[in-house]
Amino acid sequence: MSLEPVKRLDVWRTFSDGGRHRVGILAQNRQGVYFQYAGDYLARFANLSPFGLTLDASLQAAPRDPHAGLHGVFADSLPDGWGM
């Protein structure tokens, strides 16, 4: 039996003063895409997406729709084609 590795991406936020802070982890496996806030981000900053994410340390699955299985805040940051 072979296992598919989890694809992982550290999410960073750049502030207007040029400072950067790690927001959390975005990960993908066969079941879908998941996001988890970093504890130190939760202690210091506001919710990155108050309509789509819960401001806690839980593992948050992305909905299948409307952004093709990606959390809206991250889907909005990707380049896309005209009309998407």
Side-chain angles (χ1 to χ4, degrees):
M1 177 177 168
S2 66
L3 298 175
E4 180 181 327
V6 172
K7 298 172 187 172
R8 174 188 160 144
L9 177 72
D10 287 321
V11 178
W12 289 81
R13 181 175 174 186
T14 302
F15 294 90
S16 60
D17 66 0
R20 293 183 59 203
H21 199 86
R22 188 170 155 273
V23 176
I25 298 169
L26 192 62
Q28 179 184 25
N29 64 16
R30 289 185 198 174
Q31 288 75 35
V33 176
Y34 301 87
F35 175 73
Q36 186 174 36
Y37 276 110
D40 56 330
Y41 183 88
L42 291 170
R44 296 180 58 197
F45 302 104
N47 198 338
L48 197 61
S49 178
F51 296 111
L53 296 172
T54 304
L55 189 62
D56 64 24
S58 66
L59 192 61
Q60 301 180 54
R64 296 276 177 214
D65 292 315
H67 302 291
L70 190 60
H71 300 85
V73 66
F74 304 121
D76 286 346
S77 69
L78 297 174
D80 58 22
W82 185 82
M84 294 185 73

